[in-house]
């Protein structure tokens, strides 16, 4: 009897914590997205009333929602492949390097990974700053790009979405490629080196070796990395919040910032914010379902 | 063959230099006097390095309060949350690694899913919940939250370390008459300790860096700010003082880097063992 109860007792504290602070609020978000929930409800002066689908219909009618959704989608579509390609190339490079060189490069990469998102964002904003930032100066010095007159004082971050998300892409790739590189390297290490060797002897070039020998073995790892990268980049908040000027530049909102702004900017509309958060969550959970499936297939839950 | 080696090493150096560039830039700007920061032709290195930016941040003359206040807040929240989540995760890991029971797979799948819940979604509900119990502007509230947030990843990674300890060791101790708590303290815990260090690195980094909840929960009372909120506030209020901002960012980043360099080897292994958010 004790033996049968033991696992449940051991799980109880974690279940309480996760249930109360992760699962329950997720359910609350779902509930509030169908309610009118603003300042009066928070203060208790009026009860929350059911709103049916009105939060969702007003979101769908809001052009800002479609803009933010488009920004999130395009950003993920650009940043995810770039991170995966950069990470894979560095992973392949690490595999071929000598021990000392590999340690040097992977230390550099992991330092980028360990840099707090807030610090990384602030540094990139400074590098791309219109007042004394190094990038504007550098672009002005490169012949054929229009010279200093074109680039001096160029505002990357707070005027329009394209340059701001270019900076954001650089931050996300910079912080994201080390994880991909280390995972790809781990996959390569598990692979017998004779396979690639044999292919090379048979006259296969580097691309052919990767495509026909390495990629098939790395495929399950790539699938997980792809799904994780989509989840992270689609939901990116901290870096986007800082690069786009800490709320206010509405033409640069992605879905996460838009939801945050709807919920917290005065007058707060927690119902609308919840509805947006639910949309974001459902999109991410659909991708997560793929992640869970491939984890189960690879036996990660054994 | 040799030429290929040269090409590879050259590529490696380029990758490392480009990767280190932003970090280098943060350090170099933090050591520049104001006049050099806004010069028309930026230089990589400060010509007259100065500690004055650090002085302004540490004394609090750059933005509101002394740096130590924020460091203390961040350290307290992070250390308590990491220790608490490691202990709770340890219990859960034993259950998952040592017992076969109904709902075991369901529990693990639940961990994978909650790990992926977007924080911008949860923050709205938790803000209202914490407001209702008067814990919004409170470091204790954040600590509880961070403990729970660190659990899924920590359990997921720690269970592998528990599973790697041979069962026979525990069985032998039990046959010798040791009670389950004794087996845990004297057999299992010492063997899993290195694994706990690895997993706590991840919990430490994600908690130390956590931004969304600290931003939403900590209102205008600066004395409660953790380092990410402090740097953000500073950056928003004094966006032109790049020297002190870079000094503050450096001071915020350094503890993570030191922690990370100490455990670098394990970190690489741990990154492979469990998918972890950066």
């Amino acid at each position: 009897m004790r033996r049968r109860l033991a696992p449940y007792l051991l799980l109880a504290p974690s279940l309480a914590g996760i249930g109360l602070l992760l699962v329950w609020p997720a359910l609350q978000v779902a509930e509030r997205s169908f309610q009118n929930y603003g300042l009066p409800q928070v203060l208790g002066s009026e009860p929350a009333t059911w709103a049916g689908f009105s939060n969702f219909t007003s979101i769908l009618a809001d052009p800002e929602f479609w803009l933010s959704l488009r920004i999130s989608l395009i950003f993920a579509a650009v940043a995810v492949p770039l991170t995966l390609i950069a990470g894979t190339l560095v992973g392949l490079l690490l595999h071929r390097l000598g021990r000392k060189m590999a340690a040097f490069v992977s230390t550099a990469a992991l330092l980028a990974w360990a840099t707090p998102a807030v610090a990384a964002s602030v540094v990139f904003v400074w590098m791309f700053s219109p007042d004394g930032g190094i990038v504007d100066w550098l672009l002005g010095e490169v012949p054929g790009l229009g010279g200093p007159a074109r680039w001096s004082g160029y505002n990357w971050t707070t005027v329009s979405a394209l340059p701001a998300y270019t900076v954001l892409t650089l931050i996300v790739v910079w912080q994201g490629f080390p994880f991909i590189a280390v995972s790809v390297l781990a996959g390569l290490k598990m692979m017998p080196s004779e396979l690639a060797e044999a292919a090379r002897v048979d006259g296969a070039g580097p691309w052919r070796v990767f495509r026909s020998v390495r990629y098939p073995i790395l495929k399950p790892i790539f699938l997980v990395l792809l799904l994780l990268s989509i989840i992270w980049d689609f939901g990116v908040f901290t870096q986007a919040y800082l690069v786009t000027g800490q709320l206010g530049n509405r033409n640069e909102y992605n879905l996460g910032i838009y939801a945050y702004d709807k919920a917290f900017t005065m007058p707060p509309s927690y119902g609308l914010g919840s509805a947006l958060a639910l949309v974001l969550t459902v999109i991410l959970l659909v991708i997560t379902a793929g992640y869970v499936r491939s984890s189960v297939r690879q036996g990660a839950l054994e | 063959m040799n030429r290929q080696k040269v090409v590879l090493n050259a590529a490696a150096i380029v990758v490392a230099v480009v990767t280190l560039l932003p970090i280098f830039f943060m350090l170099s700007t933090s050591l520049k006097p104001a006049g050099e920061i806004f010069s028309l032709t930026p230089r990589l290195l400060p010509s007259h390095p100065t500690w004055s930016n650090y002085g302004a941040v540490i004394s609090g003359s750059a933005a509101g309060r002394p740096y130590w206040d924020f460091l203390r807040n961040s350290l307290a929240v992070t250390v308590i949350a990491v220790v608490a989540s490691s202990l709770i995760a340890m219990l859960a890991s034993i259950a998952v690694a040592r017992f076969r029971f109904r709902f075991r797979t369901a529990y693990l799948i639940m961990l994978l899913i909650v790990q992926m819940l977007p924080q911008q979604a949860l923050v709205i509900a938790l803000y209202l919940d914490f407001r209702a119990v008067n814990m919004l502007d409170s470091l204790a509230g954040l600590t509880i939250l961070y403990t729970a947030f660190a659990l899924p990843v920590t359990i997921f990674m720690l269970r592998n370390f528990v599973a790697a300890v041979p069962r026979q060791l525990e069985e032998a101790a039990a046959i010798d008459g040791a009670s389950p708590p004794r087996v845990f303290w004297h057999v299992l815990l010492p063997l899993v300790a290195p694994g706990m260090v690895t997993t706590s690195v991840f919990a430490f980094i994600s908690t130390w860096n956590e931004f969304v909840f600290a931003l939403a929960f900590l209102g205008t009372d600066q004395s409660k700010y953790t380092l990410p909120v402090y740097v953000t506030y500073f950056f928003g209020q004094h966006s032109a003082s790049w020297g002190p901002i870079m000094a503050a960012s450096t001071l915020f980043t350094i503890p993570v880097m030191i922690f990370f360099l100490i455990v670098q080897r394990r970190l690489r292994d741990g990154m492979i063992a469990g998918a972890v958010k950066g």
Side-chain angles (χ1 to χ4, degrees):
Chain A
M1 187 61 205
R2 256 182 77 181
R3 176 101 195 139
R4 284 186 54 190
L5 263 181
Y8 299 104
L9 288 176
L10 290 168
L11 288 184
S14 64
L15 276 175
I18 293 170
L20 217 58
L21 296 166
L22 284 157
V23 178
W24 174 241
L27 298 174
Q28 282 180 308
V29 166
E31 186 194 10
R32 290 219 178 88
S33 60
F34 294 99
Q35 290 178 334
N36 290 314
Y37 208 98
L39 217 44
Q41 284 74 25
V42 172
L43 299 174
S45 61
E46 282 173 37
T49 51
W50 291 102
F53 284 92
S54 71
N55 286 327
F56 293 94
T57 47
S58 67
I59 287 171
L60 294 180
D62 185 352
E64 281 189 1
F65 164 73
W66 294 104
L67 178 65
S68 70
L69 179 67
R70 217 175 66 198
I71 287 181
S72 283
L73 285 172
I74 296 176
F75 174 68
V78 173
V80 169
L82 282 180
T83 316
L84 286 175
I85 292 169
T88 306
L89 288 176
V90 175
L92 288 167
L93 180 66
L94 286 171
H95 190 55
R96 301 284 302 273
L97 289 174
R99 240 192 41 188
K100 275 194 185 144
M101 210 55 181
F104 174 55
V105 175
S106 66
T107 302
L110 290 177
L111 281 176
W113 175 81
T115 303
V118 168
S121 310
V122 171
V123 173
F124 272 82
V125 170
W126 159 229
M127 286 165 60
F128 283 83
S129 154
D131 313 303
I134 186 125
V135 176
D136 281 355
W137 174 79
L138 214 60
L139 288 172
E141 295 294 303
V142 176
L145 289 181
R150 164 83 178 77
W151 293 104
S152 157
Y154 181 78
N155 188 329
W156 287 84
T157 52
T158 52
V159 171
S160 70
L162 187 61
Y165 279 80
T166 307
V167 177
L168 192 67
T169 305
L170 288 175
I171 302 176
V172 166
V173 172
W174 182 67
Q175 292 210 280
F177 88 83
F179 177 68
I180 311 287
V182 172
S183 308
V184 168
L185 179 64
L188 290 171
K189 286 245 164 87
M190 290 188 307
M191 200 179 291
S193 61
E194 293 81 24
L195 282 178
E197 216 50 65
R200 239 175 261 135
V201 170
D202 288 349
W207 168 247
R208 180 82 204 178
V209 170
F210 179 77
R211 180 75 197 76
S212 308
V213 181
R214 296 205 159 122
Y215 179 74
I217 303 181
L218 289 175
K219 213 170 148 190
I221 298 179
F222 274 123
L223 180 63
V224 169
L225 291 175
L226 174 72
L227 293 169
L228 285 174
S229 302
I230 295 174
I231 291 169
W232 294 337
D233 291 353
F234 191 77
V236 64
F237 181 85
T238 305
Q239 294 91 329
Y241 177 88
L242 285 156
V243 168
T244 59
Q246 308 194 26
L247 300 186
N249 292 308
R250 311 191 67 88
N251 59 331
E252 298 181 5
Y253 282 3
N254 67 12
L255 209 49
I257 300 181
Y258 180 58
Y260 188 91
D261 183 83
K262 271 275 175 278
F264 289 108
T265 304
M266 287 293 158
S269 173
Y270 301 108
L272 268 182
S274 298
L276 277 164
L278 188 67
V279 172
L280 182 67
T281 309
V282 168
I283 295 174
L284 290 180
L285 283 184
V286 168
I287 306 168
T288 304
Y291 169 61
V292 170
R293 240 182 56 167
S294 65
S295 295
V296 172
R297 276 214 195 130
Q298 286 175 49
L301 303 186
E302 286 315 305
Chain B
M1 195 62 204
N2 229 338
R3 226 189 92 207
Q4 198 187 21
K5 212 166 173 167
V6 171
V7 172
L8 282 174
N9 282 336
I13 290 171
V14 170
V15 169
V17 167
V18 169
T19 306
L20 291 174
L21 206 63
I23 297 169
F24 168 81
F25 224 71
M26 174 171 80
L27 292 173
S28 119
T29 307
S30 74
L31 295 169
K32 282 181 179 176
E36 282 184 44
I37 290 174
F38 292 104
S39 86
L40 286 174
T41 47
R43 307 181 87 117
L44 282 179
L45 286 167
S47 8
H48 303 283
T50 167
W51 291 109
S52 66
N53 295 321
Y54 288 92
V57 167
I58 289 170
S59 73
S61 67
R65 306 176 73 87
Y67 169 75
W68 305 120
D69 292 9
F70 308 111
L71 179 69
R72 200 188 48 223
N73 291 345
S74 266
L75 267 182
V77 167
T78 307
V79 169
I80 297 172
V82 168
V83 170
S85 65
S86 295
L87 292 176
I88 298 174
M90 183 70 203
L91 299 178
S93 303
I94 295 174
V96 175
R98 283 289 184 261
F99 293 89
R100 297 275 139 183
F101 53 95
R102 282 180 74 188
F103 309 120
R104 182 178 168 278
T105 311
Y107 178 79
L108 289 173
I109 289 178
M110 186 267 300
L111 291 184
L112 279 182
I113 294 173
V114 294
Q115 217 190 117
M116 297 302 161
L117 289 172
Q119 298 198 310
Q120 307 98 287
L122 297 178
V123 71
I124 298 172
L126 284 165
Y127 175 88
L128 296 172
D129 292 339
F130 275 60
R131 196 194 149 99
V133 293
N134 260 327
M135 281 187 87
L136 264 194
D137 241 326
S138 127
L139 290 173
L142 272 190
T143 309
I144 294 171
L145 209 54
Y146 291 168
T147 304
F149 288 173
L151 283 176
V153 177
T154 311
I155 297 168
F156 222 81
M157 288 171 65
L158 203 54
R159 80 199 165 92
N160 290 323
F161 290 103
V162 175
V165 174
R167 226 177 254 259
Q168 289 86 337
L169 289 176
E170 290 154 61
E171 283 163 5
I175 290 168
D176 288 348
S179 62
R182 245 183 100 86
V183 173
F184 173 73
W185 272 112
H186 295 281
V187 181
L188 193 57
L189 196 61
L191 288 169
V192 180
M196 283 182 97
V197 173
T198 306
T199 50
S200 63
V201 175
F202 290 101
F204 182 94
I205 291 180
S206 59
T207 308
W208 183 259
N209 297 350
E210 202 290 322
F211 176 65
V212 185
F213 284 86
L215 175 75
F217 280 32
L218 304 174
T220 47
D221 182 4
Q222 267 194 54
S223 70
K224 302 266 175 60
Y225 281 6
T226 55
L227 284 169
V229 183
Y230 158 63
V231 171
T232 302
Y233 165 81
F234 189 176
F235 171 59
Q237 296 298 308
H238 309 266
S239 54
S241 9
W242 289 112
I245 290 173
M246 289 300 122
S249 302
T250 306
L251 290 171
F252 169 38
T253 306
I254 277 176
V256 194
M257 300 237 166
I258 292 174
F259 198 54
F260 147 83
L261 286 173
I262 297 171
V263 290
Q264 193 191 354
R265 252 208 95 76
R266 290 215 182 105
L267 190 71
R268 238 175 290 161
D269 301 342
M271 246 165 130
I272 296 158
V276 174
K277 233 184 267 211

